Amino acid sequence: MDMQRLTRTALPLAALTLFPLLAACGTESGTGAGSDSVGPGAKESVTGVHWTVDSLTVDGKTTKAPDGAYLKIDDNGEVNGNYGCNTFGSTADFKDDSVDFETARSTEMACGDAPMKFEERFSRTLDTGTFKAKAADGGLTLTAADGDTVRLSEEKPAELYGTKWRVDSLMDHDVAQSLPEEADGKAWFTFDKKKGTLSGSLGCNEVSAEATVSKGEITLGHARTTRKMCSDSLMAAERTILGLFKGTVEYRIDHRSITLTRENGLGVGAVADK
């Protein structure tokens, strides 16, 4: 199966800084949801927090959100998030205990059937109008006038070390490609600070290497791998990931996402496993 490309050429990966998605070499910290419900003048309980989307209830039917779906509203009302496949940006207006989202801008990457169905319902729900917002005990509930509900929970940022980073995209300069279906969820890596190593899976074969971390960069040593043969699509993905080794890559972390990029513009994107 060929790797799926972003279909909107006018909005390449680099343009996503409009939302923004990548924060150089670090993680964000939220203000915390606290235990009080949102009320008049209390929008700070909702803003500044990275909210993971847990579920969506539409017409009485509840659907669990795919991994990676999130919503974040800055203090100035700027919204960025992920529907479960595509990234989106918007603005939000608060009035008393309600929040209203403007029409969103989004990327147009093709994903699996289940994430795309959830994305369609989620994006349509956010565009319906005003939501009553209630934040309590690290959770947030957004309820529309027709009863449709989005349930979210506060998510802490991931650390570089000790996190299992699951590869979800391959990068070629300003273009991101989703992994082949066969490789989806199989490629991952983790950094061990004490040992100074990277270890994980390329999607088919296991891999390990020395890893030296400096400010904004990681120098990877020669990759040691197993020697299993897999499908052509898996092996193609492995070759791309192996291209990161025996050299220095720039790394950027945004909350629970990471990118590793070589000077030639090739790299990978990954998300922290829950």
Side-chain angles (χ1 to χ4, degrees):
M1 178 178 177
D2 292 336
M3 298 178 189
Q4 298 165 311
R5 288 181 172 269
L6 291 176
T7 58
R8 182 186 294 175
T9 56
L11 189 59
L13 188 66
L16 298 183
T17 53
L18 290 172
F19 299 157
L21 296 181
L22 299 177
C25 315
T27 59
E28 302 172 355
S29 58
T31 61
S35 59
D36 295 331
S37 298
V38 173
K43 78 172 187 178
E44 55 274 5
S45 295
V46 172
T47 58
V49 178
H50 189 287
W51 297 106
T52 293
V53 181
D54 297 323
S55 66
L56 174 66
T57 301
V58 176
D59 296 330
K61 181 180 179 181
T62 300
T63 306
K64 182 181 177 182
D67 290 344
Y70 76 91
L71 178 70
K72 187 174 186 295
I73 309 174
D74 292 337
D75 294 339
N76 61 4
E78 289 295 321
V79 177
N80 67 81
N82 188 286
Y83 291 127
C85 173
N86 283 287
T87 302
F88 69 91
S90 181
T91 57
D93 292 320
F94 284 88
K95 183 177 180 181
D96 297 333
D97 61 349
S98 299
V99 57
D100 183 23
F101 296 96
E102 299 296 325
T103 301
R105 314 169 302 278
S106 72
T107 56
E108 293 183 357
M109 185 169 68
C111 297
D113 186 54
M116 293 304 293
K117 286 182 177 179
F118 182 89
E119 175 166 310
E120 181 182 355
R121 288 191 287 265
F122 185 25
S123 61
R124 187 169 60 243
T125 298
L126 289 184
D127 284 341
T128 57
T130 302
F131 293 84
K132 293 291 185 181
K134 182 178 180 181
D137 300 323
L140 173 64
T141 302
L142 301 176
T143 306
D146 60 5
D148 290 348
T149 303
V150 185
R151 298 189 184 279
L152 312 95
S153 57
E154 183 178 4
E155 187 175 52
K156 302 298 183 183
E159 300 291 338
L160 174 65
Y161 294 105
T163 298
K164 183 177 181 180
W165 297 104
R166 177 172 50 82
V167 178
D168 64 352
S169 62
L170 305 178
M171 298 167 54
D172 185 350
H173 293 85
D174 291 342
V175 177
Q177 301 172 326
S178 57
L179 290 177
E181 186 175 1
E182 287 183 276
D184 188 28
K186 296 180 181 178
W188 61 272
F189 57 88
T190 187
F191 292 99
D192 188 310
K193 185 175 184 178
K194 185 176 181 180
K195 295 180 179 179
T197 60
L198 172 151
S199 60
S201 170
L202 298 169
C204 175
N205 287 285
E206 296 177 359
V207 63
S208 63
E210 294 182 355
T212 303
V213 179
S214 58
K215 187 176 182 180
E217 294 183 339
I218 302 172
T219 301
L220 298 172
H222 180 75
R224 300 179 292 276
T225 68
T226 53
R227 293 290 187 267
K228 291 190 296 183
M229 294 299 296
C230 300
S231 66
D232 290 344
S233 60
L234 273 177
M235 297 305 290
E238 287 205 352
R239 286 192 292 272
T240 300
I241 299 173
L242 277 173
L244 299 174
F245 291 83
K246 206 172 182 182
T248 298
V249 296
E250 178 183 357
Y251 80 93
R252 295 175 181 266
I253 295 178
D254 175 34
H255 199 73
R256 297 184 67 82
S257 299
I258 188 172
T259 58
L260 305 179
T261 312
R262 295 187 61 186
E263 287 185 358
N264 61 5
L266 301 181
V268 302
V271 296
D273 254 12
K274 293 184 178 179

